[in-house]
DNA sequence: CGGACAATTGATCTACCTCAAAATTGGTGG
DNA sequence: CCACCAATTTTGAGGTAGATCAATTGTCCG
């Protein structure tokens, strides 16, 4: 019943299984969703602040981010997304977007019409609950970011972000052995953490000097998980991961 | 079919009508929810970080807040709640709480067992959608707070918060003529905005000197809405208010 | 009237910002 | 395979919004 990993819907199944338990029937229903796949280049907008999308976006491969831009051009990154995420699932119930969704890396995304999503959740309350749960986890991550931006210093914020992304990737089988992708530039990282690029640079060097991480190019290695967790005061409870997905 | 305003469930109906359209049948179903009301004193915890609540809390009167506390005792307020809100609705799908819910003022809250909420959303998909939508608006507010904490200065953050609470209260009929309750202390405000109390104090005085607001005790008057909106770069889109509720 | 809490003020300090330039890196075409 | 370009990362040198510490002054109640 599990679709071949070549199906663009496989990452969604994997993701849903990391946060809920699905029956075979439900898996089947997800698999038969009509999805139109596209490959997008890095740093390309998918849907923009103010848009009224008529479809949802499922990230199959690569990373996406969501952001708001202020009047003076300052930008705040609100969330980072990895394969399996549906970053604009909320558009199902909030017709007008209040922020922009874009690619960070080259990415494969699958578009599913709202209509079909509505049918899916109507016919399968279990899936509706799982998707609702997913949006609630999203909100829990927002709360953690609020806490970091409001009350943590630069070092803790950066360490915390590394921990968070490692756990998120691990939950969907995309990280192991303390290694994972981390394809942000320091400028993007500063927009996510409410810092300047200069300060991010200096603080990342600090973490490297402390032998907590090794990060170059797009690959991150966590050298001292315990130390990094302590530096970021990281407690994964808020991610509400149910279990590690089979790859 | 509308319950008398003395019913503890009236604020919930009013709130849901401010974000969605309910049929009489759905209103009836909400009204017949079993709710146990209690009056709580100011600054009293309702559910704590780590708890596994078995009921949801509906705020009938007064203000609540949600917060996280860090290791060193620093506190971040994550959200402010006004009558009609169900601040821990997410516990329906995320069993363990990742933050604390407490009263800001003396408050009346009604508790509804998860069991009955589950029955309600199973029997009434329209209500399920409205509640889901409500949690999504919650998340949209979190995103706006992230933006403020990350990229706005103290003056803009404070102005923005005044605007946000005025609009939220207005949507449920609890504000008019540029006047509303604002029962936070400056210390609580600083915990919400990621600032120190001293700096909040000085910046509020600035806004008063600019004749944008008048705020003393628990009552706020907005003297210059346009000016305050400009100071906070406030755009209410993210609140996704559908229409003003009848009081 | 007194006590507790909240608001206000003053003085000093610092984490982080801004501006600007230099050094690296990775990708590309010849 | 190398030279070159553009995008990143890194370094240096000030500057500042906002923090911290420590009183002092309201203000609201019982």
């Amino acid at each position: 019943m599990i679709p071949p990993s070549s199906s663009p819907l496989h990452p969604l199944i994997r993701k849903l299984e990391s946060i809920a338990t699905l029956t075979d029937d439900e898996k089947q229903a997800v698999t038969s969703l009509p999805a139109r796949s596209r490959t997008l280049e890095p740093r390309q907008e998918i849907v923009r602040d103010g848009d009224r999308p008529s479809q949802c976006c499922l990230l199959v491969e690569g990373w996406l981010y969501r952001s708001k831009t202020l009047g003076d051009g300052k930008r705040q990154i609100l969330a980072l997304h990895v394969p399996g995420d549906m970053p604009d699932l909320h558009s199902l119930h909030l017709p007008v977007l209040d922020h922009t969704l874009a690619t960070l890396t080259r990415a494969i995304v699958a578009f599913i019409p709202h209509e079909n999503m509505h049918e899916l959740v109507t016919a399968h309350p279990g899936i509706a609950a799982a998707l609702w749960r997913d949006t609630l986890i999203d909100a829990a991550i927002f709360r953690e970011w609020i806490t970091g931006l409001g009350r943590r210093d630069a070092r803790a914020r950066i360490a915390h972000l590394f921990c968070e992304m490692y756990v998120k990737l691990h939950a969907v089988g995309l990280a192991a052995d303390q290694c994972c992708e981390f394809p942000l530039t320091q400028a993007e990282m500063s927009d996510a953490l409410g810092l300047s690029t200069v300060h991010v640079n200096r603080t990342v060097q600090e973490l490297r000097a402390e032998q907590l991480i090794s990060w170059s190019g797009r690959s991150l290695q966590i050298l001292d998980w315990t130390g990094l967790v302590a530096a970021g005061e990281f407690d994964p409870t808020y991610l509400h991961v149910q279990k590690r997905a089979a790859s």
Side-chain angles (χ1 to χ4, degrees), chain A residues 64-77:
Chain A
L64 305 183
Y65 72 94
R66 299 197 265 166
S67 69
K68 293 206 188 207
T69 301
L70 298 185
D72 57 1
K74 281 182 185 156
R75 186 174 74 151
Q76 177 64 41
I77 289 182

Side-chain angles (χ1 to χ4, degrees), chain A residues 103-233:
Chain A
T103 59
L104 211 42
T105 65
R106 178 189 304 272
I108 302 174
V109 299
F111 293 101
I112 305 164
H114 279 176
E115 198 187 324
N116 300 286
M117 290 300 295
H118 279 301
E119 286 166 16
L120 179 74
V121 300
T122 302
H124 300 274
I127 294 175
L131 292 175
W132 187 354
R133 184 175 146 88
D134 187 47
T135 62
L136 292 170
I137 293 173
D138 231 52
I141 295 173
F142 291 145
R143 289 193 290 272
E144 194 63 33
W145 281 38
I146 287 174
T147 308
L149 287 164
R151 294 301 184 202
R152 280 195 253 265
D153 66 14
R155 177 167 174 273
R157 277 185 232 177
I158 293 174
H160 198 279
L161 183 61
F162 284 138
C163 292
E164 176 175 307
M165 295 316 296
Y166 183 83
V167 170
K168 277 194 72 169
L169 289 167
H170 191 258
V172 292
L174 294 173
D177 303 323
Q178 319 301 325
C179 288
C180 66
E181 297 279 296
F182 200 89
L184 303 219
T185 65
Q186 293 181 0
E188 285 154 349
M189 203 157 171
S190 68
D191 281 341
L193 299 172
L195 299 167
S196 68
T197 66
V198 171
H199 200 58
V200 165
N201 179 277
R202 292 188 167 120
T203 312
V204 166
Q205 286 180 57
E206 230 177 276
L207 296 179
R208 286 201 266 245
E210 294 178 61
Q211 306 271 54
L212 296 178
I213 54 152
S214 152
W215 173 37
S216 73
R218 44 205 63 251
S219 78
L220 170 69
Q221 184 176 9
I222 297 173
L223 302 175
D224 176 359
W225 176 256
T226 312
L228 196 63
V229 162
E233 286 193 81

